[in-house]
Amino acid sequence: MRTPSATVATSSDGEGSVRTRSQTQRRKRIVQAAAALASRGGVEAMQMRTVAERAGVALGTLYRYFPSKMDLVVAVVGEEIDLLESSIERRPPGAATPEGRAVDVLMRATRGLMREPELADALIRSLIMAEVQTPFGDRMAGLLLRVSAEGLSFEQASEEQRDLAGSLAGIWVHELLEMLRGRRTYDQIQRRIETAASRLLADI
């Protein structure tokens, strides 16, 4: 619950708070519209004008929030990671070992993404080909560090620990792409991730 002083700090008349909520809701609506389009036709379906129409905003408004399609792709990926993190908070991995907890997270993410393979394929391919820096790798590595090293943050981790978690995240992305191409089954991905995690995270 916010204190009266917090309310005043946010806005003396309340309008600033309302405006911020409105902006947040508008941004979320845009991201959800983009994800819905991508889930049916890939990134090609995420035309900015189409996204704006589906989200019920003016095209100029969309560009103020997301100057390019890649910015929009990154936002959709961020939303997916937010959902994964919320799932982990509600139901933390129960494995006794660092590598077991990391495998739990990655396979949970795999199941979530494969519910909408068109969206997963569009997002992963776009991130691989992106010419702009995206937070995807660092966020996944940070999540793996938190669950495998019992709350260790990305900022607190050593360079070696970051590299280990980042390498495992990179292997997972590659295996996910292979699955999307029909070259891997879910069980094969799990076995490969378990092998990689046991080598990379056993001493983290």
Side-chain angles (χ1 to χ4, degrees):
M1 181 182 297
R2 286 193 298 179
T3 63
S5 60
T7 303
V8 172
T10 302
S11 173
S12 61
D13 57 6
E15 291 180 2
S17 176
V18 171
R19 184 164 57 247
T20 300
R21 280 200 303 274
S22 175
Q23 290 170 343
T24 300
Q25 291 168 354
R26 190 178 300 118
R27 184 185 187 280
K28 189 173 185 67
R29 204 162 66 241
I30 291 170
V31 172
Q32 289 174 339
L37 290 167
S39 69
R40 291 169 177 79
V43 171
E44 293 76 14
M46 283 175 54
Q47 299 301 318
M48 300 296 268
R49 185 175 297 279
T50 308
V51 172
E53 290 173 353
R54 187 181 183 97
V57 300
L59 186 59
T61 300
L62 172 59
Y63 276 109
R64 282 200 299 275
Y65 283 88
F66 304 103
S68 71
K69 182 188 284 190
M70 183 48 61
D71 291 312
L72 194 49
V73 169
V74 170
V76 174
V77 170
E79 184 84 1
E80 293 297 314
I81 297 178
D82 288 344
L83 292 173
L84 176 62
E85 289 179 335
S86 297
S87 167
I88 301 246
E89 287 176 6
R90 290 193 305 272
R91 187 167 57 88
T97 62
E99 57 268 33
R101 293 191 292 274
V103 170
D104 181 291
V105 167
L106 292 175
M107 298 316 297
R108 203 183 299 186
T110 301
R111 291 191 296 273
L113 285 170
M114 291 311 296
R115 291 191 190 102
E116 297 189 65
E118 286 266 1
L119 175 60
D121 187 65
L123 297 180
I124 296 295
R125 288 177 186 276
S126 295
L127 289 174
I128 288 174
M129 296 185 295
E131 296 179 358
V132 298
Q133 185 175 0
T134 67
F136 178 70
D138 285 352
R139 285 196 65 184
M140 285 303 298
L143 181 54
L144 291 175
L145 284 170
R146 287 202 299 278
V147 299
S148 62
E150 299 181 341
L152 182 68
S153 72
F154 190 76
E155 292 73 23
Q156 294 169 331
S158 68
E159 185 175 358
E160 181 182 13
Q161 288 171 320
R162 294 180 191 180
D163 288 345
L164 290 170
S167 294
L168 182 57
I171 291 169
W172 170 69
V173 169
H174 171 76
E175 292 299 322
L176 188 60
L177 264 179
E178 290 296 282
M179 186 178 185
L180 290 164
R181 291 167 177 159
R183 297 174 185 169
R184 296 274 195 277
T185 65
Y186 180 88
D187 288 342
Q188 287 173 328
I189 284 186
Q190 180 162 354
R191 187 175 66 249
R192 285 168 176 261
I193 292 297
E194 287 173 348
T195 299
S198 69
R199 301 294 192 273
L200 291 168
L201 302 184
D203 299 321
I204 199 166

